[in-house]
């Protein structure tokens, strides 16, 4: 069985690997589509420590090929999306049948071999059956939507609020679309590249600010009559973007932080008090139905994932796929891999 | 000055009336557009007791013609929408500068002569300046939107919820549009006429049920896999519609009641408990910024009022306008009157 | 093994019954305390159809005596409270390890033999281990607290709200205590007996209204300066009480319905709209951690259950226990049975 | 008329000042009680820049002595508490009769001469009539309660939550009491002095941590079984206290920041995201009814302010009053001044 393997920083090889086996409670999934996310690119670039050699990848979809002991045989042949983290199996939550409350979940493709291969074994609790009309490439792109849903569920926009989404990578674009669907009025987005703005506009952005050309602070204040936005969502993970969130938001407004990086500047406390702000930290996809609801948003056509997909490669071209995802060359947003 | 006058049940005449004068704290508004709402039609039909003769009408927009004592002269010439109820001026709230918390507000056109005339005097606190790009006919149609905003503000939809809107008159249509903007997933609407469904679909309805053709209870359960809708909003004010709200909603769901009529059946308590429901009563436009936000929804193009306007008449043809609004003939939804 | 058996309406006998056995996934619990609730009394009186002969009772606590296959042996000897309804075991929720989302749960003691015996078999998922310092009689009295918590969690009182609790049976008293703990300001309670008012006052009630002596509508309006209460909670299940909830609550206030009876009058819709009310239906204990939090309220001393316990009987005197619970003689509130 | 005057850093003199006069819309209040807050002490110590000479003080109560033009004469003789900030009178909010939305409000006693005198002129909109049973010393102590109410209103505690209040100065003590009334379960407080802990316990604290004796981080984790508290409220304004809030709170918990100082350390963003926290900034008393509700909490006895008052002085002894408030000697919490 073929697999793409990270053998070192910026080194991807196609290797032959043994077939996976389904332990009790697990299944083997035939991978039909995998997508590359920022974490994959960071592993490739060496910005995330990875125990090489490692088969990367955690965002994928496919079809159940075989089922281990204790798993209902009717799963075999079912088309599925797969949640990206493995419960530890040992903690009180896992032992009392609540594996998704497990606090020691481990990302597939980092702490164990991942999905950039032909077949992979996962616990049956990680599976989400996909309905008719959902294709594998769509089912492999649910993570940014699920993270975005976890965000808008907590922000509870009032109809007509002015929202700023900082950063238009996949999570930023997902939030642009989800805020447009959730009642945002003026919807201002920023990025350091022009490339994603065509998608931003298709998703409902009213104003796209290229931060290499305009000062986003001055621009947002001008667009809001000097008051600041009702809600500001930082998804970029860039220090310069994170540093201005408290300047962009209005008195009594809301701030959400999703973009994650080790070098983000800390938040001063005085403006949080002086402006009577509420700051929401978003740590992931929530794990409480957000995947299932993301599927329905795609199935119903309310979210069209196609504009986000800029590149598709076969598994044999995994090295090129990682290079594109890492460099973001050619206007790359989402890169898909088909085994 | 000409005015349309209700002189009795189903009797409208054009009469000459004296010019209004602006008392201290009041202004005279030159009426540029008035719209007929259900209350006007009920007054015409005799279903609401009206002290005849009476100039009807409370939904209107125009331009400030003159200002009374104590009113800033800069108001003169300003284009305005007008809130439809007069504060009493005598209660503790009115006396302490909070006229919009007045509990004895009186509807213009019912308790005093209304807007179906050339000029009318109103308190300056009833005025909302309209921004550039808003035309008078739009500014005279804000009430259904303001009532709808007051509803969705309280319901706080979660993105993707299944919503049923019962009745597709102006308020039902406004709620169809506002729920679509606020994140409704499947959005099912009902009416006893096919006429409004083209607007419903343009506003975002996914399923339109003609209750003269299908059983809405069976249809909603089938569309929701037997579970019922997350949220059900009754706007029709018809007993047959009000009687089924608790059947249409899912366990732990939400219900809103807006449609008002004296013959509505009461709600049984057991299903409210057994299904763990939350029932919201909506009594009007809320009076806390909903008019201003409605204006912005129209200005930004997120709500297009044009499809709701089916008929336009000049003031001299007020009798015909009332007949159309009362009979709903010719697919009537909203009828406008231009002095 | 001895058991109290309902052999017909108002007929209780002590009989010898075979020992229960623990099926896979189940345990046998040695009953150390059982409490009688309104449902038990209704079964005894014949107001709830019961398949006689039936061992009644569902509110109890004890110690695990033996464990079936698949149950961790460390459960044996553990002190436990027991949730009162059995998941069906057959539905999609039960089959996917979410038995507490089962929509066909059946009350112990009604649809299967209950706890008024020495030992009973229950599924391990129904057990809640009780911490040190909790005695069995306390652990057998958690249901009214759990129902009350499910209520105050949804009402979200603002500190200082005026609250009315209609009915001071066990659930009404539980809500009196929980509202006092949750920030109620003026806390008005009603009942048709003076007996529970000493407990009401100890639990934090500020005003106790005997509805056989005063008109509660007039009294509440007087105590609230004519405005009505911020929140009204109906727990009595009596038609005369249920009929006045909408009169007692202020404009923009909240209403909760918990008291359950087939003859409750329906709610008129117009006042719900005219007063802009929110009506909450409460269908039970919620099943999402309310039992566990109730235990902690008792353990920490914030809720003292002792004042509610007016009568204690041994299992052999079950007939007298039922008579007292049914007649509410001797100021009965809660009646305990010890095997 | 006598007044206490700050003539420089740590210099207080009693001087003769001219009688104030009531401008239109203003009244003169006969001061009956004033209280010293942290701001007054900071002005005295020179930590807040003050234009000397200045009559300090903004927390006070008294009786209306005379009324200016346009003020209802029935105000004269009314007992009142006074809100501590003056609207600017010039901004759009002030000019449209919403002075309490004024964004340029100025603290009395800092930007204009304050209340440590016999009589002072204030706008009528700053007055809150005090009901029978409220004494002037109580009415002069409402500010910490109003700030605390503004905090618990936003936190919306679930009954039984574990709460930590960092700092037990007047605002910290107010929050201890308000959290106890709002449903806190375990209620842990910290301070660097033992002195306030007797009041903390009387107000409902379950655990008092002297941070000079124990490590609050270790202690809170131990008291919460390693999980952290549900809610953490920082009131001290000390860097060492502010630095640990994110360590004390559990995953998915809430943090409120009230304690204000220029040298507070900023908040790192990663733990806010990793723990999925919500951070609330509290900037003052909210200005939307919190003063009125604070009065009612005192009137009803639910908040007993007496334990907070450790020292009382006459106006002539203002210098000593400031020295005690600044040094916190003698276990000082709240210091009152009576003209």
């Amino acid at each position: 069985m073929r697999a793409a393997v990270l053998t070192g920083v910026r080194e991807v090889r196609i290797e032959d690997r043994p077939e996976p086996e389904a332990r009790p409670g697990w299944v083997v999934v035939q991978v039909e589509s995998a997508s590359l996310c920022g974490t994959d690119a960071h592993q490739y670039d060496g910005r995330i420590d990875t125990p090489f050699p490692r088969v990367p990848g955690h965002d994928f979809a496919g079809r159940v090929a075989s089922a281990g002991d204790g798993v209902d045989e009717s799963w075999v042949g079912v088309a599925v999306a797969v949640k990206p983290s493995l419960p530890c199996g040992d903690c009180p939550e896992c032992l009392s049948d609540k594996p998704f409350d497990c606090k020691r979940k481990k990302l597939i493709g980092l702490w164990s071999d991942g999905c950039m291969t032909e077949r992979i074994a996962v616990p049956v609790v990680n599976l989400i059956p996909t309905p008719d009309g959902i294709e594998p490439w769509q089912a492999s792109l649910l993570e940014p939507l699920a993270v975005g849903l976890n965000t808008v569920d907590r922000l509870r926009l009032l109809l007509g609020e002015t929202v700023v989404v900082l950063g238009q990578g996949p999570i930023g674009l997902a939030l642009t679309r989800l805020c447009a669907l959730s009642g945002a009025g003026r919807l201002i987005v920023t990025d350091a590249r022009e490339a994603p703005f065509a998608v931003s506009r298709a998703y409902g952005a009213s104003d796209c600010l290229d931060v290499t050309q305009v000062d986003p602070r001055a621009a947002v204040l001008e667009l809001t009559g000097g008051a600041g936005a009702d809600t500001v969502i930082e998804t970029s993970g860039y220090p310069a973007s994170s540093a201005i969130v408290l300047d962009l938001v209005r008195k009594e407004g809301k701030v959400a932080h999703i973009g994650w990086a080790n070098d983000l500047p800390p938040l001063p406390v005085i403006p949080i008090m002086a402006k009577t702000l509420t700051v929401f930290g978003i740590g992931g996809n929530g794990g409480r139905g957000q995947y299932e609801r993301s599927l329905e948003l795609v199935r119903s056509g309310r979210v069209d994932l196609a504009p986000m997909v800029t590149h598709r490669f076969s598994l044999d071209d995994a090295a090129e796929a990682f290079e594109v995802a890492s460099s973001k060359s050619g206007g790359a947003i989402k890169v898909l891999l088909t085994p």
Side-chain angles (χ1 to χ4, degrees), chain A:
Chain A
M1 177 184 85
R2 285 169 310 136
V5 185
L6 285 176
T7 52
V9 171
R10 310 183 76 81
E11 283 182 11
V12 179
R13 290 191 206 153
I14 305 302
E15 297 187 358
D16 213 52
R17 289 282 176 124
E19 288 286 336
E21 276 178 51
R23 286 182 266 168
W26 288 50
V27 298
V28 170
V29 173
Q30 175 82 27
V31 180
E32 295 179 337
S33 179
S35 72
L36 278 79
C37 96
T39 303
D40 299 304
H42 289 349
Q43 290 181 248
Y44 173 79
D45 289 336
R47 278 176 288 169
I48 292 180
D49 291 335
T50 304
F52 300 123
R54 173 63 79 221
V55 178
H58 53 267
D59 287 338
F60 67 107
R63 202 167 281 275
V64 177
S66 62
D69 281 355
V71 175
D72 198 310
E73 274 298 313
S74 65
W75 274 108
V76 176
V78 170
V80 292
V82 183
K83 295 183 189 176
S85 293
L86 299 181
C88 75
D90 284 329
C91 68
E93 284 73 19
C94 284
L95 293 174
S96 58
D97 280 325
K98 291 182 283 187
F100 278 95
D101 287 331
C102 171
K103 282 166 193 145
R104 288 185 270 159
K105 274 186 280 188
K106 300 284 191 191
L107 194 65
I108 297 172
L110 179 57
W111 300 106
S112 59
D113 279 336
C115 67
M116 295 194 181
T117 176
E118 293 182 78
R119 282 168 292 282
I120 178 175
V122 294
V124 70
V125 294
N126 277 54
L127 303 183
I128 306 162
T130 56
D132 283 352
I134 290 285
E135 294 180 50
W137 70 268
Q138 293 169 311
S140 71
L141 284 170
L142 297 177
E143 175 72 5
L145 281 181
V147 171
L149 266 180
N150 191 28
T151 306
V152 293
D153 285 354
R154 288 180 66 207
L155 287 172
R156 289 287 172 109
L157 301 185
L158 220 52
L159 184 52
E161 282 192 21
T162 296
V163 179
V164 176
V165 180
L166 298 167
Q168 292 289 283
I171 288 180
L173 285 167
L175 273 157
T176 300
R177 183 68 190 135
L178 297 175
C179 287
L181 289 172
S182 298
R186 186 146 223 159
L187 178 47
I188 305 163
V189 305
T190 70
D191 204 85
R193 298 189 301 163
E194 290 278 345
F197 288 161
V199 187
S200 308
R201 284 195 198 91
Y203 278 6
S206 57
D207 303 271
C208 299
L209 306 177
D210 179 342
V211 297
T212 66
Q213 305 295 320
V214 300
D215 173 10
R217 192 188 287 128
V220 167
L221 290 178
E222 191 188 328
L223 288 168
T224 58
D230 297 303
T231 294
V232 176
I233 306 171
E234 155 50 35
T235 74
S236 76
Y238 279 96
S241 185
S242 188
I244 60 173
V245 292
L246 302 184
D247 298 330
L248 301 185
V249 69
R250 73 165 169 87
K251 223 184 150 198
E252 303 194 356
K254 290 171 282 184
V255 167
H257 266 279
I258 305 163
W260 187 297
N262 291 328
D263 53 355
L264 295 180
L267 292 168
V269 186
I270 293 275
I272 294 175
M273 294 189 285
K275 287 179 124 175
T276 313
L277 302 179
T278 311
V279 179
F280 298 89
I282 312 289
N285 60 54
R288 295 182 181 123
Q290 285 86 351
Y291 257 83
E292 290 77 359
R293 288 165 58 210
S294 296
L295 253 183
E296 169 59 16
L297 287 170
V298 174
R299 190 205 60 74
S300 66
R302 273 182 284 277
V303 175
D304 176 8
L305 293 168
M308 270 213 237
V309 179
T310 52
H311 295 77
R312 292 167 184 261
F313 295 93
S314 73
L315 179 57
D316 293 332
D317 298 323
E320 191 182 345
F322 270 89
E323 192 51 39
V324 167
S326 163
S327 66
K328 295 187 186 169
S329 59
I333 302 172
K334 264 294 182 190
V335 175
L336 294 185
L337 208 61
T338 313

